[in-house]
């Protein structure tokens, strides 16, 4: 993957810095926005800096991931981002903290059921047209092409039952040892079958800030050992909010005629995530909290962040669709390079 085009002053600086970390060391104060969650320039900058720890970029300096200058930029951006995440999550966290550890799993399932926000999956199932379904896939590609990777960073940071549970879950995400069952690759096949670009990261420079934030929060928690409980709380909420919506997405995909090859990724998750949610909520988070009750708060924070950021991304997309607009124009079936321009 090549570095994407910048989307503002900050990401311009970060793109230059990833090519040549020395250029960042020499720059002055960062141009920080007032609202980190909604600012696409900041979200793309964070995404770029986090991607150095995943697959990186063909045109990056090979040592950019451990450049002190880039790490200090990342630290400033992620502090602003984390403050924004805490702000939008704060009011939902209390029910998961003011609860006995044994009751935590049931309370988390209740929160997932009742979390406020529009249902993108229900709209896709019943009302979305073909291009809207394709746009949903395009948005989700930013995370699903690296599905499971952010949470894998937590494996060496856990012990005992929580570690065993996470490895069991991730083994399934990575295809149970069968290359073409890896969930990331199932999603890539769905994108191709829908006429979209399946190259990793190819839509990062066109999706809204809210979509990048969904991916960035997982990296934020995954890359900091101190946030391992938030990473597992996030995973638990992610898995617990997946099975039923995936059934709806699969139905919507077939309703608009996109077919089995696109639906297969979602079919797979109807069953898989019904198992994963039990594993993540009861075994992984349950074990973590039992081992160290002080971690319950951050498990709760991570779980709520997952649900809150998901809801924040769904709302503007549904609003655009209701007015017959797209947040990102869907690519044509044939012109991938001309694929996506921000809607005016
Ligand atoms: Fe998966
Ligand atoms: Fe899963």
């Amino acid at each position: 993957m090549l570095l994407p085009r910048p989307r503002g002053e900050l990401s311009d600086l970060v793109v230059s810095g990833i090519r040549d970390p020395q250029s960042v060391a020499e720059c002055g104060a960062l141009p920080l926005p007032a609202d980190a969650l909604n600012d696409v320039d900041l979200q793309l900058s964070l995404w770029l800096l986090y991607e150095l720890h995943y697959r990186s970029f063909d045109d990056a300096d090979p040592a950019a991931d451990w450049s002190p200058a880039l790490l200090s930029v990342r630290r400033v951006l992620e502090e602003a981002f984390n403050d924004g995440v805490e702000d939008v999550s704060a009011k939902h966290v209390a029910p998961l903290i003011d609860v006995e550890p044994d009751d935590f799993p049931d309370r988390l399932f209740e929160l997932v059921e009742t979390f406020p926000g529009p249902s993108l999956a229900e709209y896709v199932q019943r009302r979305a047209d073909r291009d809207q379904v394709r746009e949903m896939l395009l948005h989700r590609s930013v995370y699903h092409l690296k599905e499971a990777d952010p949470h894998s960073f937590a494996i060496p940071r856990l012990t005992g039952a929580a570690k065993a549970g996470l490895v069991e879950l991730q083994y399934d995400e990575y295809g149970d040892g069968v290359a073409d069952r890896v969930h990331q690759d199932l999603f890539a096949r769905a994108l191709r079958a829908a006429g979209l670009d399946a190259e990793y990261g190819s839509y990062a420079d066109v999706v809204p800030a809210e979509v990048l934030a969904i991916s960035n929060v997982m990296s934020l928690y995954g890359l900091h050992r101190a946030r391992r409980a938030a990473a597992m709380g996030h995973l638990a909420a992610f898995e617990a909010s997946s099975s039923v919506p995936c059934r709806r997405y699969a139905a919507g995909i077939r309703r608009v005629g996109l077919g089995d090859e696109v639906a297969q990724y979602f079919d797979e998750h109807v069953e898989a995530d019904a198992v994963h949610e039990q594993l993540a909520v009861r075994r992984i988070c349950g074990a973590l909290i039992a081992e160290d009750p002080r971690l319950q708060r951050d498990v709760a924070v991570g779980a709520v962040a997952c649900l809150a950021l998901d809801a924040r991304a769904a709302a503007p997309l549904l609003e655009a669709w209701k007015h017959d607009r797209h947040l990102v124009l869907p690519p044509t079936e044939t012109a991938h390079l001309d694929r996506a321009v921000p809607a005016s």
Side-chain angles (χ1 to χ4, degrees):
M1 159 174 63
L2 291 171
L3 282 159
R5 60 185 175 174
R7 299 176 77 176
E9 194 181 350
L10 197 52
S11 51
D12 194 29
L13 185 150
V14 169
V15 165
S16 301
I18 289 173
R19 288 202 182 97
D20 173 16
Q22 193 60 31
S23 70
V24 173
E26 289 162 1
C27 86
L30 294 173
L32 279 183
D35 182 354
L37 274 190
N38 284 318
D39 189 86
V40 78
D41 189 25
L42 183 143
Q43 290 298 329
L44 180 64
S45 300
L46 256 186
W47 181 85
L48 288 161
L49 292 165
Y50 285 143
E51 282 305 316
L52 296 175
H53 298 271
Y54 294 92
R55 303 188 201 180
S56 194
F57 306 92
D58 297 339
D59 46 350
D61 182 299
D65 49 347
W66 294 107
S67 151
L70 288 171
L71 286 171
S72 70
V73 170
R74 197 187 93 191
R75 194 67 200 137
V76 172
L77 303 189
E78 61 190 0
E79 276 176 12
F81 177 48
N82 188 55
D83 288 348
V85 173
E86 298 266 340
D87 278 353
V88 297
S89 306
K91 67 179 177 204
H92 302 291
V93 170
L96 293 178
I97 296 176
D98 305 332
V99 62
E100 289 300 313
D102 284 353
D103 295 330
F104 183 90
D106 288 339
R107 202 60 71 85
L108 177 51
F109 281 121
E110 277 168 36
L111 183 69
V112 169
E113 283 281 305
T114 58
F115 201 81
S119 171
L120 191 64
E122 195 174 331
Y123 190 94
V124 167
Q125 179 184 15
R126 300 186 196 286
R127 299 179 56 188
D129 65 25
R130 187 180 167 96
D131 277 344
Q132 289 166 346
V133 175
R134 294 172 71 234
E135 182 167 33
M136 177 274 291
L137 296 168
L138 183 159
H139 285 220
R140 291 175 73 113
S141 72
V142 173
Y143 169 61
H144 287 288
L145 289 175
K146 67 171 178 193
E147 182 170 325
D149 289 344
H151 300 108
S152 293
F153 283 122
I155 293 171
R157 293 160 182 165
L158 301 180
T159 57
K163 183 177 214 142
L166 179 56
V167 170
E168 182 181 338
L169 196 160
Q170 297 299 81
Y171 184 68
D172 206 20
E173 298 288 347
Y174 294 130
D176 293 313
V178 180
D180 69 359
R181 303 300 304 167
V182 176
H183 289 187
Q184 301 170 359
D185 298 332
L186 289 180
F187 200 81
R189 286 211 289 280
L191 288 170
R192 281 191 289 272
L196 294 160
D197 191 340
E199 189 185 339
Y200 183 90
S202 66
Y203 293 118
D205 56 357
V206 293
V207 294
E210 293 89 341
V211 172
L212 292 166
I214 287 175
S215 178
N216 285 339
V217 80
M218 295 186 234
S219 300
L220 170 71
Y221 296 153
L223 287 167
H224 289 272
R225 180 195 167 274
R227 305 306 304 274
R228 64 198 182 284
M232 294 302 94
H234 184 286
L235 176 65
F238 190 90
E239 298 291 350
S241 57
S242 173
S243 178
V244 173
C246 279
R247 189 186 300 279
R248 293 182 183 276
Y249 285 128
I253 285 164
R254 291 193 168 91
R255 179 181 55 76
V256 301
L258 279 168
D260 290 345
E261 218 179 329
V262 180
Q264 190 190 14
Y265 166 90
F266 296 93
D267 293 339
E268 171 78 18
H269 284 78
V270 174
E271 301 260 318
D273 286 347
V275 176
H276 293 173
E277 66 182 19
Q278 298 297 324
L279 195 45
V281 175
R282 298 188 191 282
R283 276 185 50 200
I284 299 171
C285 292
L288 257 186
I289 294 168
E291 191 182 312
D292 185 349
R294 291 171 302 178
L295 295 177
Q296 182 168 329
R297 185 186 184 282
D298 223 28
V299 173
V301 166
V304 170
C306 173
L307 301 173
L309 294 190
D310 217 42
R312 285 182 82 257
L317 187 57
L318 283 169
E319 194 56 29
W321 288 354
K322 281 173 189 162
H323 295 91
D324 237 6
R325 292 187 292 108
H326 293 274
L327 295 183
V328 178
L329 292 179
T332 64
E333 305 277 342
T334 53
H336 286 184
L337 292 178
D338 204 64
R339 67 202 197 287
V341 284
S344 57

